[in-house]
Amino acid sequence: MSDYAEIKSSFLDNLKTNFIKFWKVGIIYLLVVVLLRIIEVIWVFKVHPLDFKPVLILSSGLFYDFEWGFYILGILLFLYISIGFFAPKTIHVLTRIILTILIVIHAALVFYFTKMLLPLGEDLFAYSLNDMFMTVRASGALTFTNSFIILIILFSIYIITGLGKRVPLHLNSFLILSACCYLYVIMFNFLSGTEKSRVAEVESNLKINKSYYLYNQSYNYFSSASNRYFDFYLPSEGGENLLVNKKFTDTEYPFLHENNYPDVLGPFFDKFDGKPDLVFIIVESLGKAYSGEDAYLGSFTPFLDSLSDHSLYWKNNLSTTGRTFGILTGLFGSLPFAKNGFMEEAPNLPDHLTLFSLLKHNGYHTNFNIGADINFDKVGSFLKYQDIDQAIGLDSFDADFKVTPSTSGFSWGYPDKAMFQNGIRKIPEDSEKPRMSIFQTQTSHDPYIVPDQEIYNRMFLDHLTNTLKVTPDNMPGYLNYQEVYTSVIYADDAIREFFEIYRKRPNYENTIFIVTGDHRLPEVPMSTRIDRFHVPLLIYSPKLKRTKRMHGVTTHYEITPTLLSLLSNRFEMDLPSEVAWKGYVLDTSAVFRSLISNPFMRNKNQLLEYIDGEYVLSDNQLFILSDNMNLDPVEDIVIRDKLTMLFEDYKSSNSFVIDFNRIIPDPLKSSTPDGK
C-alpha cells in the first residue's frame, strides 16, 4: 500500500512540476508575442499613412495573437506533459527551441508585412528556392551582417525563454491558465468568423496574426484537392455580353470556341503601309493609383499622361494577376492560370497559341527585351515554346551598359534606360519583315534603386511641390514612399527617352505602341481589393486618326484577340478558325460599363477574384464595381451564388485543361510554325 502511495505521489509531483515549468516558458512566449504586436503597430503606422486608429488595431490584433499563442501552447502543453514524465530535461529544452524558432519566424513575417502591407501566405510555396533566394538578395536582407544578427537574435530569444523561472506564480494560476488556453481557442472559432468577413482587406491584414495567416494558408494549400473535375457542357456567353458572342465547340476543350471577334480598333486607324510593327512596353508596378487621370494618389508619370492625350486610353483596365508572373501569358495568350501560374508548368507546357506564335506564323519577326534574368518565373521556357526570334535578358547586354547600383551586392539587372537602348540597338533596321517587340521594365521594383538617384529625388520633390501641389500636412504620406515614387518617375522618364530614340527609326510611322503595367505596386496601401490589378492601358500610333478615352472595363485578356482582329480585318492573315482566348475585345465605350466575365489571380496559387459584369467576387465577398474601379460591398445572395458558380466552373476548367492538355486540339497546334 505504501508503494502505491509513493507512485501516486511521484506522479502528481511530476505533473505539477511539468505544468509549472511549461507555463513559466509559455508566459514568456505570450509576452514576446504581445511585444511584437506593439512593435508591428508602431512600425506600420510610422511607415504607412493609414486611416485606422492604432489603438483599435492593437486591441483587435491582440485578440488574434492570443488565439494563435494559445493554439501553439495548447499543443505544446500536451506534448510537454506527455514526454515530461520520461525526459523532462529534453522536452524542456526542445520546447524552448521550438518557441524560439516560432518567435523568430513570426518576427520575420511581421517585418515582411510592415514592408509590403500584405501578409505572407500560400504564395510562398509557388516560387522556386532560386527565385526566393534572388528576391531576398535583391531586397538587401541577405547579407553576412544580417545573418550574424539573426544568429544573435536566435540565441538571445532562447535565453529570454528561460527567464520564466522567475515568474512568481504557482500551480493554481497555471491550471487556470491552461483552462483559459483551451477555452479561448474553442471560443475564438465561434466569435471571430463573422467579424473577419466584414472588415476591409487592409484592416483584416492589419489585425490578423501573421503566423496564423501563414499556417492557415499553408494548411489550405497542402490539404486542398488538386483536381476538381465536373461534367463540362457547351456554355453560351452571348446573352448579356455585348462584346463577343462566344460559340463553344467541344466539351473536351472547355475554352475552345469559334474565332469570331469583331474589329473594334479599326475605326480609329488610318490605312497602314503594310502590316504594322507592334511594340509593347510593359511597365513594372505601373498602377493606375499613381498614373494618369483620376489617379487618387496623384500621377507620377508626366510623359505617359501627355502621351495618353494622343492615344486610345483605357482608365478602367485590369491586369490578370497581382504579380508579374502572369503578365506575358495573360497579355499575349489570354491563357488559363494553371495551379501556380501558367509558366510554372514549363518545360511541360500544354499546347497553346499566343500572339507570339500566330504573328510569327504570319511573317513577323518577334523579340523580347528585359534587363533582368530571363529565366526568372520561367519566362525563358515560355518564350522558347513560342519559338521567339530574339530573347534578350541579363546576359545579352553590350559592354558599355552598367547594371543597376545595389546596396546589397546583388542587383536585379540593368536599369530601364539601358534595357531600352540595348534592345533598340539589336533590332535590325533593314529587315523587310514586320516586327513584334516587347520591352519589359524592372527598375520600379523593390529595392527601388535607380541610376542618378539624387537627380530623380529632386524631380520627385519638385513634382510634389509644383505639379501635384501637395500640402504640408499630406507631404509625409508621400515622403514615406520616396524611393517607390522616384522609381516610377524614373521609369516614365525612360519611356520618354525610348520614344525619342524610336521616333528616328524608319518604320516608326507604321508602328502601334501598346503601353500598360503588369500590376500595382504593393508597398503603398491599396484602396480596394481590386486595386492591385488596376493598371492603365494606352495604344498609340502615328496612324491613329482620332483619340479617345475609354471608360469600359477591360483586362489584359482582351488585348491579343483585339489586335488579331484588327490585323486580320486589314491584311491577309492565316489564323485558326477556333481559339481558346479567355478574353473578349477591348471595350471602347466612352461611359462606364462592364461586360466581361473573367478570373484574376492575386499571387501564385491565390485565385480569389472573379468579375462578372459590374459585380466582383473577392475572397467569397461580393462587391459592385463603379467608374475608376471603385468597389462597394453588397449583400445579394443570388448574385453572389451566380458568381461563385461561374468561378467554380472556371477553376474546374482551369485544372482540367492543364492536367489533360485540353486548351487547344492538335490541329490548331499544327497550324503554327514547327507545331509550336
Side-chain angles (χ1 to χ4, degrees):
M1 192 73 176
S2 61
D3 290 341
Y4 175 79
E6 183 178 347
I7 292 173
K8 182 178 180 181
S9 175
S10 176
F11 174 82
L12 291 176
D13 287 342
N14 287 337
L15 187 63
K16 292 177 183 179
T17 301
N18 288 336
F19 261 109
I20 293 172
K21 290 180 68 177
F22 174 81
W23 277 112
K24 286 194 173 186
V25 176
I27 284 178
I28 297 299
Y29 170 71
L30 290 175
L31 290 175
V32 173
V33 169
V34 170
L35 177 62
L36 286 174
R37 171 62 70 171
I38 295 172
I39 293 173
E40 176 186 338
V41 171
I42 293 174
W43 196 349
V44 165
F45 280 89
K46 180 180 180 182
V47 174
H48 303 282
L50 299 168
D51 295 328
F52 303 104
K53 294 183 178 181
V55 174
L56 294 180
I57 296 297
L58 176 61
S59 58
S60 298
L62 289 174
F63 177 74
Y64 291 99
D65 290 340
F66 278 115
E67 189 274 341
W68 171 249
F70 282 140
Y71 178 81
I72 291 297
L73 293 177
I75 295 174
L76 290 179
L77 175 59
F78 177 79
L79 296 175
Y80 199 103
I81 297 300
S82 302
I83 301 174
F85 289 107
F86 311 102
K89 292 184 178 179
T90 300
I91 190 61
H92 186 73
V93 172
L94 183 60
T95 299
R96 289 177 62 187
I97 291 174
I98 292 173
L99 292 178
T100 296
I101 294 173
L102 289 175
I103 288 171
V104 172
I105 291 175
H106 185 67
L109 293 172
V110 168
F111 173 77
Y112 177 88
F113 177 77
T114 57
K115 186 177 180 64
M116 305 296 291
L117 266 188
L118 293 171
L120 186 62
E122 62 181 309
D123 49 310
L124 172 68
F125 306 109
Y127 292 89
S128 67
L129 290 176
N130 183 61
D131 286 354
M132 287 190 286
F133 179 74
M134 289 177 62
T135 302
V136 174
R137 284 195 66 192
S139 68
L142 192 63
T143 64
F144 175 80
T145 301
N146 288 348
S147 300
F148 180 75
I149 291 174
I150 290 173
L151 291 176
I152 296 297
I153 291 174
L154 276 168
F155 179 75
S156 300
I157 292 176
Y158 180 80
I159 297 299
I160 290 172
T161 60
L163 299 178
K165 59 186 177 181
R166 300 181 181 180
V167 176
L169 296 176
H170 302 288
L171 179 62
N172 289 341
S173 301
F174 294 133
L175 289 175
I176 294 172
L177 195 56
S178 299
C180 291
C181 170
Y182 292 110
L183 285 173
Y184 192 97
V185 173
I186 294 172
M187 294 301 296
F188 181 87
N189 293 314
F190 292 99
L191 296 177
S192 63
T194 303
E195 195 271 341
K196 278 192 280 187
S197 66
R198 290 177 178 174
V199 299
E201 183 184 10
V202 175
E203 184 180 358
S204 176
N205 290 340
L206 286 168
K207 293 177 178 180
I208 197 73
N209 178 277
K210 308 312 177 287
S211 291
Y212 170 80
Y213 183 86
L214 178 61
Y215 160 78
N216 191 48
Q217 291 265 306
S218 302
Y219 177 81
N220 292 337
Y221 176 76
F222 289 109
S223 64
S224 61
S226 59
N227 300 321
R228 46 170 84 223
Y229 305 134
F230 299 91
D231 291 331
F232 297 112
Y233 56 92
L234 292 180
S236 174
E237 295 200 20
E240 298 178 1
N241 189 288
L242 304 178
L243 294 175
V244 179
N245 184 0
K246 291 186 179 181
K247 296 181 180 179
F248 293 88
T249 57
D250 193 338
T251 56
E252 283 293 308
Y253 295 86
F255 298 131
L256 193 66
H257 55 274
E258 293 181 4
N259 187 8
N260 61 349
Y261 289 79
D263 177 18
V264 296
L265 293 184
F268 295 96
F269 285 90
D270 284 324
K271 183 178 180 180
F272 291 104
D273 305 323
K275 292 179 180 177
D277 286 358
L278 300 179
V279 175
F280 291 84
I281 300 176
I282 303 171
V283 188
E284 172 68 41
S285 302
L286 183 66
K288 184 65 184 64
Y290 39 86
S291 177
E293 65 170 291
D294 297 331
Y296 66 85
L297 294 174
S299 180
F300 289 83
T301 55
F303 174 74
L304 287 180
D305 295 351
S306 64
L307 185 65
S308 70
D309 292 334
H310 307 280
S311 307
L312 305 177
Y313 184 80
W314 284 263
K315 62 174 292 187
N316 292 319
N317 177 66
L318 298 167
S319 64
T320 59
T321 56
R323 288 295 199 177
T324 309
F325 70 89
I327 180 63
L328 299 184
T329 56
L331 198 157
F332 299 112
S334 200
L335 287 163
F337 292 120
K339 183 179 180 181
N340 299 322
F342 187 83
M343 290 192 295
E344 285 299 313
E345 298 298 310
N348 301 312
L349 292 168
D351 298 339
H352 64 279
L353 297 171
T354 64
L355 188 62
F356 291 105
S357 57
L358 289 175
L359 288 189
K360 181 165 184 178
H361 179 66
N362 283 275
Y364 272 75
H365 176 278
T366 56
N367 65 88
F368 176 85
N369 303 270
I370 192 170
D373 181 2
I374 206 167
N375 293 312
F376 190 81
D377 276 337
K378 298 189 177 181
V379 170
S381 296
F382 177 72
L383 295 177
K384 184 177 180 181
Y385 182 96
Q386 316 308 323
D387 196 24
I388 195 167
D389 293 305
Q390 189 177 53
I392 297 175
L394 189 62
D395 299 328
S396 304
F397 275 68
D398 292 340
D400 55 319
F401 294 112
K402 296 181 179 179
V403 297
T404 302
S406 171
T407 57
S408 64
F410 174 83
S411 171
W412 280 112
Y414 291 87
D416 298 342
K417 289 188 178 183
M419 182 274 297
F420 282 127
Q421 294 170 20
N422 182 73
I424 292 175
R425 279 186 193 178
K426 290 178 166 49
I427 299 176
E429 294 189 10
D430 55 353
S431 173
E432 295 182 357
K433 286 186 174 183
R435 296 185 187 86
M436 172 185 174
S437 303
I438 296 92
F439 297 87
Q440 186 171 348
T441 76
Q442 55 89 25
T443 305
S444 45
H445 185 289
D446 182 57
Y448 303 108
I449 299 174
V450 303
D452 302 316
Q453 187 78 54
E454 289 303 318
I455 294 176
Y456 287 96
N457 284 343
R458 289 194 294 270
M459 289 175 63
F460 165 72
L461 295 174
D462 179 73
H463 188 72
L464 290 181
T465 304
N466 298 320
T467 303
L468 299 183
K469 302 187 184 305
V470 176
T471 63
D473 290 341
N474 293 327
M475 190 66 74
Y478 288 96
L479 295 179
N480 286 342
Y481 305 104
Q482 178 168 337
E483 293 180 348
V484 174
Y485 288 127
T486 297
S487 71
V488 174
I489 291 176
Y490 168 82
D492 180 75
D493 196 45
I495 297 171
R496 177 189 60 79
E497 287 192 5
F498 166 81
F499 271 92
E500 289 179 354
I501 298 172
Y502 207 95
R503 193 173 285 115
K504 301 174 184 177
R505 294 186 61 83
N507 209 36
Y508 168 77
E509 295 292 330
N510 201 51
T511 301
I512 299 175
F513 298 89
I514 301 95
V515 184
T516 190
D518 56 355
H519 58 81
R520 180 205 199 275
L521 58 84
E523 284 83 351
V524 180
M526 290 179 278
S527 62
T528 69
R529 290 173 180 264
I530 209 169
D531 200 10
R532 58 170 50 84
F533 306 106
H534 192 192
V535 296
L537 168 66
L538 66 86
I539 295 178
Y540 167 77
S541 174
K543 291 295 184 180
L544 277 176
K545 59 183 179 183
R546 64 188 178 98
T547 64
K548 186 177 179 180
R549 273 179 151 56
M550 322 295 183
H551 288 241
V553 176
T554 193
T555 74
H556 285 161
Y557 284 127
E558 279 70 64
I559 293 176
T560 282
T562 301
L563 290 174
L564 287 174
S565 295
L566 170 67
L567 294 175
S568 63
N569 194 42
R570 296 287 185 100
F571 305 97
E572 184 177 342
M573 299 282 288
D574 183 14
L575 300 177
S577 60
E578 294 177 313
V579 292
W581 312 132
K582 183 64 190 78
Y584 305 90
V585 289
L586 295 172
D587 193 342
T588 58
S589 172
V591 297
F592 173 79
R593 68 178 185 179
S594 179
L595 302 175
I596 59 175
S597 184
N598 284 329
F600 302 93
M601 194 176 232
R602 285 190 197 176
N603 296 299
K604 290 184 178 181
N605 65 33
Q606 283 191 306
L607 191 55
L608 299 174
E609 273 80 25
Y610 194 90
I611 184 173
D612 183 63
E614 295 182 6
Y615 290 95
V616 174
L617 187 70
S618 177
D619 205 5
N620 296 317
Q621 297 182 56
L622 184 66
F623 300 85
I624 190 167
L625 195 64
S626 57
D627 200 14
N628 213 34
M629 293 290 101
N630 294 313
L631 287 182
D632 292 301
V634 293
E635 295 288 341
D636 192 314
I637 297 176
V638 174
I639 295 177
R640 188 186 67 186
D641 288 348
K642 175 192 173 185
L643 264 70
T644 300
M645 181 190 70
L646 291 172
F647 203 7
E648 289 302 317
D649 284 346
Y650 171 78
K651 291 176 183 178
S652 301
S653 300
N654 176 63
S655 298
F656 178 80
V657 300
I658 298 298
D659 293 346
F660 292 96
N661 192 14
R662 290 293 190 272
I663 299 178
I664 57 171
D666 285 340
L668 288 181
K669 178 187 175 185
S670 62
S671 71
T672 59
D674 302 323
K676 296 182 180 180

